[in-house]
Amino acid sequence: MIEELPKNYDSQAREKYWQDFWDEKNIFKFDQDKDGEIFSIDTPPPYVSAAHLHVGHAMSYTQAEFVVRYKRMMGYNVFYPMGFDDNGLPTERFVEKKYKIDKSKISKKEFIELCLKETKEGGETYKKFWKRLGISVDWSLLYSTIDERCQRTAQRSFIDLYNKGLIERKEEPVIWCPECQTALSQSDLEDLEQKTYLNYINFQFEDGKTAPIATTRPELLPACVALYANPKDERYEKYIGKKAIVPIFNYEVPVIADEKVDMDFGTGLMMVCTFGDTEDIERWKSDKLMTRIAIDKTGCLTSVAGEFSGLSIKKGREAILQTLKEKLLLIKQEDIENVCNVHERCGTISEFIITPQWFIKVVDHKKDWIKRGNELKWFPKFMKVKYDAWVEGLKWDWCISRQRYYGVPFPVWYCDKCKKVILPEDKDLPVDPTTDSCLKVCDCGTKDLKPEIDVMDTWMTSSLTPLINASWKYPKEKSLMDKIYPMNLRVQAFEIIRTWLFYTIVKSHYHTDTLPWNDVMISGWGLDEKGRKISKSLGNFIDPETIIEQYSADALRFWSAESTLGQNLRYNEEEVKVGKRTITKLWNASKLVISHLQDYQHNLAIPRELEIEDKWILSELEKSLTLYHKHFSHYEYAKAKDAINTFFWDRFCDYYLELVKYRLYGDDISAESKLSAQWTLYTALLAILKMFAPIMPFISEEIYQLYFKGQEKLESIHISQLPTADERLRSDKAIEEFEDILRIVQEVRKYKANKNYSIKKELKELVVEMPAEKLREYEKLLKAVLSFGKITAGKGNLDLGEDIKISIIE
């Protein structure tokens, strides 16, 4: 315990020191053998292929971590892991782009080695940054979605679902990315609004007459398999049941009646192709239409397109439109804006092709997903609307297979003779059928087995993070299922409600018939100063490392705590500066307080005689503590920050420190009065440090270690107990009465400021219109704090409200 804090606080050096200290002392380590209540957090495993971390990442992870530190300081045994989502398409795309390679032109082994190299480097980058930011992860709980444990869990999940009949392999139209050349799930898509043309194209009927259809995709003309018309539409009534001839390609298609066709949209005559959208697929299935695939896996036109075969979709569209114009079959074009689906990873417009894929059944279980969503506690509540909308809008089962290299292998072999699916034993997991031999023989007797070469969608593994953390289906001595599952809290951003949150609910429902967690806390996005999403393409990348170097990690965290839960937060350097000023103020206020505590040994017992200003500040502290805990219990970290920030600046620094000084310096102050002041200063400052600790952990630890550790005998402030409201210290009467004093102090400060006087400049007399008995109670305080020769009772000319008037005589 030192006698005085150093003059200045070096945030760069000291933050690095405390990072290492926390690691060396295992301050954040989870102890599964420890008694007491566990609080477990399911954290989002970030893609390590994200080459650059920006302030949005810093915001998202620190907001969750505020809650973690709070719970730890409330006495919970905290299970706080970190994982890296380092397999699947995001990593492959990153490697292809970085090394400028085509994965189809190098060996699978070479490509995977590059992926592993990048994920290892990316993981180290993340780990280094999280530590610098003060993220209090237990790094001994680290997992990687490509490691052996995660592969085993993902393959167990597949086998369990397969045996329950909840997973199947189907050959039917699937969403396809021509750029990445893989199947996609519905959740992999984003909407893109684009300007295009609605093209009116003439079809000819058997009687030689023509009628136009309207389409935005003329390149799908060679894939046309039917025309549909509403039977009530008099324009086309006579053609229903007959044939129409597809322009340019000159083959016949049926004209079919369907009351669902909107007579007022386009021309009222609807072209169905294989496949332009989900409506095409539905009609193709229900009416058993023929199949004409015009677009291949690479996004080029196939042989059914005749002379246009081999052209890309864009060039094929242009060429077909040109031919239609030349043949006078293109009647007109209208400018329109429409919404198309693009692959979120590369921005390529998705297509539909027929290919065998693995699917988990989700569409027929919507009632289960809504029920689970209702059971979950949502913070904030309005985020549940996004979940419900996603569930209600589900059209496809979850496609979990990908035609890529770098991912968790399916534990599947196929019998070459009878086509039966062969699965390994659980004890043999994880397996890679492309390199491992199957230890089983098919029931038909053949040993000729072919491996599944597709890999799992990355969400197939990421959706298992609660079960991975709990070591699902491991031997009892290694499993944490009884201790941490279901987990207490899932923290994540709103844009992955449709993926990570939804798929995790699906897996836990199917595997354990439970929710994966009790609560979910949803964050918004970190935006640039103009309110735009941060991206390299916009040139608005904000480097958090630079901010930390300039202002400190605590200051950046202070900014992160500014946003209301679930709301987007614009980067605001001014708020970071406020954080920096708060650090400086906390340091200087602590220096002042600790300098007056050198002869003080704290006793938990409340002094028998507390002065009015002590009662007031302690009552204000209890009010702040009540609010602080109320907000944190609902994960409202921003409101909790406001509670402590307001108390620290507006009550403790602006008033109490000034009001109490005379009792620390004066020679005529009684020992009881000084002790009361010291007890109050100690209690208030320690509470302030602990309340700030979840948000600004470094400066809080620094001051705690320099003085309070010697009193509390604990290794770190972050494993100390947060104070809770103590009704014995709460006096609403003290608060009410002291408001009179504060009004007088404010008015005198204002008066002296307007005169450009120092607050310490002594003036002749302060006349206060107040009962003399009451004034005598405050006289010594007012005289010392406001610097007046004397304080007297009398008529005042400045009305302060609440029956208080004063006069200032110079």
Side-chain angles (χ1 to χ4, degrees):
M1 187 168 65
I2 65 164
E3 293 185 1
E4 187 178 3
L5 266 61
K7 182 178 180 181
N8 297 310
Y9 170 64
D10 182 351
S11 62
Q12 296 301 308
R14 300 311 294 166
E15 287 185 349
K16 176 65 171 67
Y17 176 84
W18 293 119
Q19 293 163 28
D20 296 339
F21 174 87
W22 294 330
D23 277 351
E24 291 167 9
K25 301 293 184 181
N26 290 319
I27 298 299
F28 309 129
K29 189 171 179 62
F30 170 71
D31 183 356
Q32 70 179 68
D33 298 321
K34 180 181 176 182
D35 292 334
E37 193 172 351
I38 292 172
F39 188 83
S40 55
I41 306 96
D42 188 19
T43 53
Y47 294 120
V48 296
S49 53
H52 300 288
L53 293 159
H54 54 67
V55 291
H57 295 102
M59 182 207 81
S60 179
Y61 278 83
T62 52
Q63 288 177 350
E65 204 259 352
F66 299 150
V67 174
V68 172
R69 286 185 181 269
Y70 171 80
K71 290 292 184 180
R72 191 180 288 116
M73 293 180 70
M74 288 301 291
Y76 288 92
N77 185 11
V78 171
F79 181 93
Y80 185 33
M82 179 59 72
F84 293 132
D85 202 354
D86 48 13
N87 80 86
L89 194 53
T91 303
E92 287 200 22
R93 291 284 301 168
F94 176 76
V95 168
E96 287 174 327
K97 193 172 181 179
K98 178 175 179 178
Y99 291 94
K100 297 180 173 59
I101 57 174
D102 181 345
K103 77 176 178 65
S104 64
K105 294 180 181 178
I106 67 171
S107 72
K108 180 178 179 180
K109 182 174 182 292
E110 289 174 313
F111 187 75
I112 289 177
E113 284 176 354
L114 285 176
C115 290
L116 287 170
K117 173 178 176 288
E118 287 303 318
T119 54
K120 183 178 180 181
E121 291 178 3
E124 287 301 315
T125 298
Y126 267 85
K127 187 175 180 179
K128 181 180 176 183
F129 177 66
W130 291 152
K131 284 187 174 182
R132 190 168 190 194
L133 197 56
I135 303 297
S136 60
V137 159
D138 178 356
W139 289 102
S140 70
L141 302 175
L142 179 67
Y143 64 88
S144 152
T145 56
I146 201 65
D147 67 25
E148 186 176 293
R149 175 169 62 132
C150 291
Q151 289 198 42
R152 182 180 293 113
T153 305
Q155 291 183 350
R156 276 179 176 156
S157 170
F158 176 88
I159 292 171
D160 187 55
L161 294 175
Y162 184 85
N163 289 336
K164 289 175 177 175
L166 295 167
I167 198 167
E168 62 182 338
R169 195 168 191 255
K170 299 184 287 188
E171 186 166 7
E172 62 176 38
V174 296
I175 306 166
W176 186 267
C177 175
E179 172 65 21
C180 299
Q181 294 187 33
T182 184
L184 304 173
S185 64
Q186 187 177 344
S187 63
D188 292 319
L189 304 179
E190 291 181 340
D191 290 341
L192 175 69
E193 196 171 279
Q194 64 172 2
K195 293 181 179 180
T196 185
Y197 296 106
L198 187 62
N199 304 281
Y200 290 78
I201 301 168
N202 256 345
F203 273 66
Q204 186 175 337
F205 296 104
E206 292 173 311
D207 62 3
K209 292 185 177 180
T210 62
I213 60 95
T215 180
T216 59
R217 300 206 59 185
E219 69 275 13
L220 288 178
L221 274 177
C224 177
V225 292
L227 296 183
Y228 281 76
N230 193 306
K232 298 177 182 178
D233 194 330
E234 296 177 355
R235 294 171 295 177
Y236 309 117
E237 186 179 12
K238 62 181 178 180
Y239 297 118
I240 292 173
K242 297 184 179 180
K243 303 287 185 181
I245 300 171
V246 179
I248 302 180
F249 301 97
N250 299 316
Y251 63 92
E252 293 183 339
V253 294
V255 182
I256 302 172
D258 190 336
E259 291 185 350
K260 294 179 182 177
V261 175
D262 185 351
M263 292 185 288
D264 298 323
F265 180 78
T267 65
L269 194 60
M270 176 183 175
M271 177 176 75
V272 170
C273 307
T274 50
F275 301 94
D277 55 28
T278 54
E279 219 172 357
D280 286 350
I281 295 170
E282 289 169 6
R283 285 183 165 81
W284 173 75
K285 285 182 177 181
S286 63
D287 295 338
K288 296 179 171 52
L289 301 174
M290 65 177 171
T291 304
R292 289 177 63 89
I293 302 299
I295 296 174
D296 66 16
K297 293 180 179 180
T298 67
C300 292
L301 300 187
T302 67
S303 59
V304 302
E307 64 183 284
F308 308 104
S309 175
L311 294 178
S312 67
I313 293 172
K314 182 181 178 182
K315 289 183 177 179
R317 180 186 302 134
E318 293 170 352
I320 288 172
L321 282 172
Q322 182 59 37
T323 301
L324 289 169
K325 287 179 183 177
E326 291 171 358
K327 294 181 178 291
L328 305 179
L329 295 171
L330 181 63
I331 300 172
K332 65 176 180 177
Q333 291 179 303
E334 293 177 352
D335 292 327
I336 65 164
E337 288 188 0
N338 75 339
V339 176
C340 60
N341 291 139
V342 298
H343 184 194
E344 65 171 352
R345 298 295 171 199
C346 64
T348 302
I349 296 175
S350 63
E351 300 293 340
F352 292 98
I353 68 166
I354 296 177
T355 178
Q357 304 290 339
W358 286 101
F359 295 86
I360 294 177
K361 298 175 182 179
V362 294
V363 172
D364 293 338
H365 298 263
K366 288 185 180 181
K367 289 183 179 179
D368 290 330
W369 315 139
I370 293 294
K371 179 175 178 289
R372 289 299 186 192
N374 289 336
E375 292 170 357
L376 188 60
K377 294 177 185 175
W378 294 79
F379 299 90
K381 289 182 179 180
F382 68 81
M383 284 294 178
K384 183 176 177 290
V385 174
K386 294 180 181 292
Y387 173 85
D388 289 341
W390 172 253
V391 172
E392 295 294 354
L394 281 172
K395 298 178 181 178
W396 302 80
D397 284 333
W398 177 13
C399 178
I400 59 168
S401 47
R402 297 292 182 269
Q403 289 63 55
R404 305 292 293 186
Y405 285 166
Y406 190 56
V408 176
F410 283 95
V412 170
W413 288 266
Y414 303 100
C415 175
D416 200 34
K417 182 179 179 182
C418 68
K419 310 305 178 187
K420 181 181 177 181
V421 170
I422 311 296
L423 303 175
E425 296 292 340
D426 185 82
K427 64 182 177 60
D428 297 322
L429 301 178
V431 297
D432 183 350
T434 65
T435 57
D436 299 337
S437 298
C438 184
L439 301 179
K440 288 185 175 180
V441 176
C442 184
D443 293 342
C444 71
T446 184
K447 294 182 180 179
D448 189 7
L449 306 178
K450 289 187 176 179
E452 172 63 84
I453 61 172
D454 288 350
V455 296
M456 296 182 188
D457 170 26
T458 186
W459 293 113
M460 179 68 179
T461 310
S462 301
S463 59
L464 293 163
T465 50
L467 293 171
I468 290 168
N469 285 317
S471 297
W472 174 58
K473 289 199 172 186
Y474 272 70
K476 189 172 181 63
E477 63 273 13
K478 293 184 178 180
S479 176
L480 292 175
M481 289 293 286
D482 293 340
K483 291 180 179 290
I484 69 165
Y485 185 88
M487 301 184 85
N488 293 92
L489 176 66
R490 154 66 68 85
V491 291
Q492 66 165 75
F494 71 88
E495 76 272 15
I496 51 174
I497 287 174
R498 64 180 187 174
T499 49
W500 193 37
L501 188 146
F502 173 68
Y503 290 146
T504 308
I505 286 177
V506 169
K507 288 292 193 72
S508 288
H509 175 78
Y510 281 157
H511 291 312
T512 62
D513 193 25
T514 64
L515 281 172
W517 351 264
N518 303 321
D519 301 348
V520 60
M521 171 183 156
I522 307 291
S523 67
W525 275 342
L527 307 176
D528 71 5
E529 291 175 293
K530 296 180 180 178
R532 301 174 301 174
K533 186 178 179 182
I534 298 169
S535 70
K536 288 176 68 178
S537 61
L538 289 175
N540 62 348
F541 181 84
I542 303 167
D543 182 11
E545 296 269 8
T546 302
I547 298 168
I548 291 172
E549 287 169 8
Q550 186 173 358
Y551 297 110
S552 79
D554 275 341
L556 181 57
R557 291 171 64 101
F558 188 89
W559 162 76
S560 296
E562 185 68 11
S563 80
T564 303
L565 183 61
Q567 299 296 327
N568 295 336
L569 178 63
R570 294 189 184 197
Y571 175 68
N572 183 348
E573 191 166 3
E574 288 306 310
E575 185 63 18
V576 179
K577 291 177 180 178
V578 171
K580 182 67 173 176
R581 288 197 294 272
T582 302
I583 293 167
T584 302
K585 188 72 171 179
L586 191 56
W587 182 257
N588 291 334
S590 298
K591 277 178 66 178
L592 173 64
V593 172
I594 291 171
S595 70
H596 292 290
L597 296 178
Q598 297 312 308
D599 59 346
Y600 175 74
Q601 183 62 43
H602 189 62
N603 189 325
L604 292 177
I606 302 170
R608 283 181 297 176
E609 295 296 331
L610 288 171
E611 302 282 357
I612 182 66
E613 60 266 31
D614 301 331
K615 292 178 182 178
W616 168 75
I617 196 64
L618 290 170
S619 295
E620 290 287 352
L621 173 61
E622 295 313 298
K623 280 174 56 181
S624 298
L625 278 167
T626 300
L627 287 172
Y628 181 86
H629 288 297
K630 174 188 174 184
H631 296 318
F632 254 128
S633 69
H634 293 92
Y635 310 120
E636 292 280 7
Y637 49 82
K639 292 179 180 179
K641 183 190 91 167
D642 287 344
I644 175 57
N645 211 41
T646 300
F647 173 75
F648 172 65
W649 281 94
D650 297 353
R651 292 297 190 245
F652 187 72
C653 292
D654 281 1
Y655 288 104
Y656 184 70
L657 287 184
E658 297 301 321
L659 296 174
V660 80
K661 280 180 182 178
Y662 81 100
R663 292 162 57 200
L664 300 170
Y665 294 107
D667 296 328
D668 58 341
I669 301 300
S670 69
E672 290 79 9
S673 180
K674 182 177 181 181
L675 180 63
S676 170
Q678 289 178 313
W679 191 93
T680 304
L681 285 167
Y682 180 101
T683 301
L685 180 58
L686 181 57
I688 288 166
L689 290 175
K690 290 188 175 186
M691 292 167 76
F692 267 128
I695 296 166
M696 299 195 297
F698 295 104
I699 184 65
S700 303
E701 185 76 277
E702 180 79 11
I703 298 169
Y704 181 85
Q705 294 280 344
L706 288 171
Y707 179 78
F708 292 99
K709 179 183 178 181
Q711 297 273 355
E712 292 206 317
K713 311 300 183 187
L714 292 171
E715 197 76 64
S716 167
I717 192 173
H718 299 293
I719 53 174
S720 70
Q721 186 71 33
L722 266 165
T724 53
D726 185 344
E727 287 300 319
R728 296 175 303 163
L729 298 176
R730 179 80 174 257
S731 170
D732 292 333
K733 182 181 178 183
I735 291 177
E736 183 180 347
E737 288 184 356
F738 208 71
E739 287 300 318
D740 294 344
I741 301 298
L742 295 184
R743 276 193 289 275
I744 295 170
V745 171
Q746 288 168 354
E747 190 61 37
V748 172
R749 283 181 174 179
K750 180 181 174 183
Y751 178 89
K752 289 188 175 183
N754 289 338
K755 296 272 191 174
N756 291 321
Y757 293 163
S758 164
I759 193 65
K760 295 179 181 180
K761 178 181 173 63
E762 184 172 311
L763 301 182
K764 182 179 179 181
E765 184 180 359
L766 175 66
V767 180
V768 181
E769 191 170 321
M770 175 186 286
E773 184 179 339
K774 188 176 182 181
L775 181 60
R776 276 196 296 275
E777 186 180 350
Y778 304 141
E779 181 180 356
K780 192 172 184 179
L781 169 66
L782 290 172
K783 188 175 181 182
V785 171
L786 299 178
S787 298
F788 280 93
K790 59 180 178 177
I791 309 286
T792 58
K795 292 289 184 181
N797 56 18
L798 291 174
D799 189 351
L800 309 187
E802 300 295 327
D803 298 325
I804 302 292
K805 294 181 180 180
I806 66 170
S807 293
I808 297 172
I809 302 170
E810 296 194 34

